[in-house]
Structures are given as structure tokens and as C-alpha cells.
Amino acid sequence: MRADHILGDGQHVTSADAWDVSRASCMARWGPSTRYSSLPEAEATVRGRVQRSSLL
């Protein structure tokens, strides 16, 4: 999650929602690679999921 810039230095996962976000991250990578979405759209989707979760 640090490689995807979802978690910053000193942050850590505090719930099982991490599984959902990690799957969302994988799914979001497929969008641009198959040209179903742009990279900014994929990043915004994952960031929105993180903000709605109780991860941080």
C-alpha cells in the first residue's frame, strides 16, 4: 500500500478494510491497462475508497 501511495510514512492499517482497498488497487490497475479508464480516474477511485473506509 505504500508503493501505491495510499499509506504514508508512519501510517499503518488499523482494520480488515485493507483487504478491500488492496483488491480495489488491483482492479484499478486493470482499468488503464485495458483502456477502460484513465490513470487519474483509477487513482481517484482508490483514494475515494480509502477515505470512506476506517483504514487510517
Side-chain angles (χ1 to χ4, degrees):
M1 293 178 76
R2 282 185 184 25
D4 291 324
H5 306 289
I6 294 171
L7 286 177
D9 292 336
Q11 292 181 313
H12 59 277
V13 175
T14 60
S15 76
D17 284 341
W19 173 256
D20 292 340
V21 173
S22 67
R23 298 308 306 153
S25 175
C26 289
M27 294 294 288
R29 286 186 183 127
W30 289 343
S33 69
T34 58
R35 298 184 182 170
Y36 283 120
S37 70
S38 68
L39 183 57
E41 288 173 320
E43 289 174 344
T45 300
V46 174
R47 283 194 183 102
R49 174 65 182 110
V50 170
Q51 290 172 350
R52 287 188 304 272
S53 74
S54 59
L55 278 177
L56 306 176

